[in-house]
Amino acid sequence: MRFADLAGPRSSYSMPPFLPETLLPLAVAAVAIALHQVPALSSISPMMLAILIGIMVRNIAPVPAAALSGTKFLVRHALRVGIVLLGIRLTLGDIASLGGVTILIIVACVVGTFFVTIGIGRLLGVPRALSELIAAGTSICGASAVIAIHAVRRGPDEDMAYAIATVTLLGSIAMVSYPLLAGPLGLDATAFGVWTGATVHEVAQVTAAAYQQGEVAGNVGTVTKLGRVVLLVPVALGVLLSMRLSRETGGAGGRAPVPWFVAGFLAVVILNSIVEVPEAAAGTIRTMSELLLVLGLAAAGLQAHLASLLKVGLCPLLVALGGWLFIAALGLTLVKVLL
């Protein structure tokens, strides 16, 4: 396959921006990271803070066009590279250590929730592209999954912003409410960890919720969640195949783009499984991944028009709510029956 095929249609290519063109996104990302250090805001992902601050800056203050000229490049490339580097969090051994029953629970939750959420979107008249972003964020790994599927589809950036806002809001509610339900639901540490890891949206939210029930629950929840993240690869490829079968183009013209970043993510997982990466290097790569995702989402927020988001209405939020309630109920049922 030619490099041009991997890169997508030639008309969508953009030259790397110079530093002055990226100063505003960099500043928004820096503020988001700083606010995340504030104890009252530490439970909110810096990715979510970045996109919210970007939206506020874009819609409250007059922003010169020159200050936004680098945002398109960052949305397209920083987010993709961030997803690739996200693979350093996983090894094939981590996935194998989950055991067959937990893997079955994860797959059932991801596949079932993805299609049920899209079905709810169809019933409510929400465009399929937006429903797929919400479905991916709910069923797999929050903002990271939304970014990945958005990169495959190449739809409006407003869709990505809306989807990230909805899944992060509901994931935050889950993070707070799950530990309160562990006792009433009769879940031991292992069962609670699997339920949390298989159904809560973001990795950080899973960690925050699961460790409130002790180290065992926290460890199980984190590994379960990371095992769920790897399903980003088949889901993204499935969306691509669906687009090609239906002759959709992802808004880019020509055929649906090849998601090279998905192959990169899988390659990093495999490399991390067969090569012992020094912890210092792995930590640096994890930090780089998060910084790139925060920077890309800061740029996406700066591109988003609040009026466009409001035009979408409340139906997508109802789609996200329905998807979350479904995955929480399905995960709990499977944990109760199988563990």
Side-chain angles (χ1 to χ4, degrees), residues 305-323:
H305 295 275
L306 190 57
S308 299
L309 291 176
L310 294 176
K311 283 180 183 177
V312 178
L314 291 176
C315 283
L317 178 59
L318 295 177
V319 172
L321 178 60

Side-chain angles (χ1 to χ4, degrees), residues 113 116-117 120 138 170 316-328:
T113 303
V116 166
T117 305
I120 296 172
T138 303
L170 295 173
L317 178 59
L318 295 177
V319 172
L321 178 60
W324 170 48
L325 293 176
F326 176 83
I327 195 173

Side-chain angles (χ1 to χ4, degrees), residues 37-79:
Q37 308 306 313
V38 177
L41 299 175
S42 61
S43 63
I44 304 176
S45 164
M47 292 187 287
M48 182 58 182
L49 290 170
I51 198 167
L52 288 177
I53 295 169
I55 291 172
M56 286 191 294
V57 171
R58 179 72 173 87
N59 291 275
I60 294 176
V63 181
L68 299 172
S69 57
T71 56
K72 184 175 182 180
F73 178 90
L74 292 175
V75 169
R76 177 155 298 173
H77 298 288
L79 292 179

Side-chain angles (χ1 to χ4, degrees), residues 51-307:
I51 198 167
L52 288 177
I53 295 169
I55 291 172
M56 286 191 294
V57 171
R58 179 72 173 87
N59 291 275
I60 294 176
V63 181
L68 299 172
S69 57
T71 56
K72 184 175 182 180
F73 178 90
L74 292 175
V75 169
R76 177 155 298 173
H77 298 288
L79 292 179
R80 285 167 169 78
V81 176
I83 290 290
V84 170
L85 298 182
L86 196 64
I88 198 66
R89 295 171 177 260
L90 273 172
T91 68
L92 299 177
D94 291 333
I95 300 168
S97 69
L98 293 171
V101 172
T102 302
I103 291 174
L104 176 62
I105 292 173
I106 293 171
V107 172
C109 286
V110 169
V111 175
T113 303
F114 187 81
F115 286 108
V116 166
T117 305
I118 291 175
I120 296 172
R122 186 181 301 114
L123 289 174
L124 295 178
V126 175
R128 183 178 175 90
L130 178 54
S131 293
E132 284 186 354
L133 296 184
I134 295 171
T138 303
S139 63
I140 307 173
C141 54
S144 300
V146 173
I147 293 165
I149 302 305
H150 174 73
V152 172
R153 279 201 155 274
R154 297 187 183 179
D157 288 338
E158 286 84 0
D159 282 0
M160 179 175 69
Y162 198 116
I164 289 174
T166 57
V167 300
T168 303
L169 169 65
L170 295 173
S172 298
I173 295 173
M175 176 184 68
V176 174
S177 61
Y178 271 42
L180 301 176
L181 296 173
L185 292 174
L187 298 175
D188 62 21
T190 300
F192 181 76
V194 172
W195 182 48
T196 304
T199 63
V200 176
H201 300 59
E202 297 271 0
V203 174
Q205 293 165 347
V206 169
T207 302
Y211 274 104
Q212 290 189 50
Q213 297 300 308
E215 186 174 352
V216 172
N219 293 340
V220 171
T222 301
V223 175
T224 301
K225 177 62 180 178
L226 293 178
R228 190 170 148 209
V229 171
V230 83
L231 292 181
L232 180 61
V233 175
V235 170
L237 293 177
V239 169
L240 175 67
L241 178 61
S242 173
M243 290 170 63
R244 288 192 165 177
L245 290 176
S246 61
R247 299 187 178 180
E248 292 183 52
T249 63
R255 60 182 184 171
V258 175
W260 59 265
F261 65 92
V262 174
F265 170 83
L266 185 58
V268 173
V269 172
I270 294 173
L271 180 65
N272 193 36
S273 304
I274 61 179
V275 176
E276 187 173 350
V277 180
E279 179 52 37
T284 300
I285 294 172
R286 286 193 292 268
T287 301
M288 289 269 304
S289 173
E290 182 166 355
L291 289 176
L292 286 169
L293 292 174
V294 171
L295 179 58
L297 287 175
L302 289 167
Q303 286 187 340
H305 295 275
L306 190 57

